[in-house]
Amino acid sequence: MVRGLTILAKHISFLAMTTSYLDRGPGRIAYDVAGDGPLVICLPSMGDVRSVFRHTVPALVAAGYRVAMMDLRGHGDSDDGFDSYDDVALASDVLALIDHLGGDPALILGNSMGAAAGVWLAAEHPDKVAGLAFVGPFVRNPKASRLALLGMRLALTKPWGPAAWTAYYKRYYPVQPPADLDEHRARIKASLARGDHWRSFVKTSRTDHTPAEERLDRVKAPVLVIMGEKDPDWPSPADEARFVASALNGELVLLPDTGHYPQAQRPERVNPALVAFFDKTVKRA
């Protein structure tokens, strides 16, 4: 009971955190930091905002970690106006944030394209990365027909694009969505309406994950892969998860009745796995 109240208090303080900004030249990257201890940096997926880790941060803080959540370029409270919005650009922002916070080597928690950025960073700057935890990871391009790609581009066209995305987003939480999903979707909707964020999101959606795939065999950091078995982004999510875990010599957790955002949909399963992996990784380092 006492531990539950402690985590609740951490959750309340998380919601009230003050947003900070990292100057990246053409624009700023928004981030929040909570807790003390080894640094964990949380990377959301494209089309999402950093509060997708709202159920993750309190558990990591309670376990003794300093946790930074950042918005992608042109998402959430981050700025538009960047020249690139791909995996390598995200990895460069993570590297800059690690240096700014003085937390190297850091633990990286990457969702979707955040995993590809983590792979690139760990391959190119192994001294900056202590461990990698990936949820719903993209580390290579999915096989898709030209018709499917054309359909996606049409769906992401204004004026119906923002509404189409926020409606489609619900599909990523099959079976039993989190109770606060509508509130989170409202934050995404507000994000897409801010500045030139919609155009930034569309540019991000065209990311080529080849730079990450080409570096999979160069990653030496410990890896944990968590995948929902009903992730709609893959014909066989379990097969893709096994590929990622095998390519990176990582541990694997498969979650039934779970979609693309396990950290928000199944925190009672994901948080203990993350804490155990990070604890083991920190001791190993």
Side-chain angles (χ1 to χ4, degrees):
M1 179 66 176
V2 173
R3 179 173 175 79
L5 290 174
T6 300
I7 293 178
L8 176 60
K10 297 288 187 181
H11 186 54
I12 293 172
S13 63
F14 155 65
L15 292 174
M17 283 193 296
T18 300
T19 302
S20 299
Y21 296 90
L22 178 67
D23 187 355
R24 296 291 291 137
R28 304 174 305 163
I29 298 299
Y31 68 94
D32 299 322
V33 181
D36 296 294
L39 179 63
V40 180
I41 296 187
C42 302
L43 313 179
S45 68
M46 69 177 187
D48 210 337
V49 292
R50 65 189 187 277
S51 59
V52 72
F53 294 103
R54 62 197 179 279
H55 300 299
T56 314
V57 173
L60 294 180
V61 169
Y65 290 92
R66 179 167 57 131
V67 186
M69 303 177 303
M70 58 181 286
D71 279 324
L72 305 184
R73 296 179 175 195
H75 289 64
D77 292 312
S78 291
D79 291 338
D80 303 299
F82 291 91
D83 294 330
S84 57
Y85 293 83
D86 57 13
D87 298 332
V88 178
L90 174 55
S92 72
D93 293 336
V94 178
L95 179 61
L97 185 57
I98 292 172
D99 289 340
H100 178 70
L101 295 176
D104 59 303
L107 299 157
I108 306 299
L109 173 54
N111 187 189
S112 198
M113 73 173 284
V119 166
W120 191 95
L121 182 61
E124 295 295 326
H125 299 275
D127 57 315
K128 297 292 185 178
V129 178
L132 301 161
F134 297 150
V135 287
F138 267 81
V139 299
R140 61 178 178 174
N141 296 320
K143 295 180 181 179
S145 68
R146 290 184 178 180
L147 183 61
L149 293 175
L150 177 60
M152 174 62 76
R153 293 211 171 183
L154 288 174
L156 297 183
T157 301
K158 278 193 170 184
W160 56 77
W165 173 250
T166 52
Y168 185 85
Y169 186 84
K170 293 179 68 174
R171 291 189 56 198
Y172 286 116
Y173 295 87
V175 183
Q176 185 179 355
D180 60 354
L181 179 57
D182 286 344
E183 296 173 30
H184 184 66
R185 288 173 62 234
R187 287 190 285 269
I188 293 173
K189 183 178 180 181
S191 167
L192 294 175
R194 185 175 301 131
D196 207 20
H197 275 19
W198 176 252
R199 185 174 298 178
S200 297
F201 167 47
V202 172
K203 291 179 180 178
T204 308
S205 73
R206 297 171 183 169
T207 293
D208 180 358
H209 300 300
T210 302
E213 184 177 7
E214 292 176 340
R215 289 165 172 78
L216 289 172
D217 61 354
R218 291 170 50 187
V219 174
K220 305 305 179 185
V223 174
L224 170 66
V225 176
I226 301 176
M227 183 76 88
E229 292 184 345
K230 291 188 179 295
D231 189 328
D233 276 335
W234 301 99
S236 175
D239 286 348
E240 183 62 19
R242 293 187 186 100
F243 164 78
V244 178
S246 176
L248 295 171
N249 297 309
E251 303 174 30
L252 175 60
V253 176
L254 291 172
L255 299 177
D257 297 330
T258 305
H260 193 57
Y261 301 97
Q263 74 275 28
Q265 190 177 6
R266 299 284 182 265
E268 74 283 356
R269 293 286 305 277
V270 173
N271 290 343
L274 289 175
V275 170
F277 173 72
F278 287 154
D279 286 351
K280 180 172 59 176
T281 299
V282 169
K283 290 178 182 178
R284 184 185 304 167

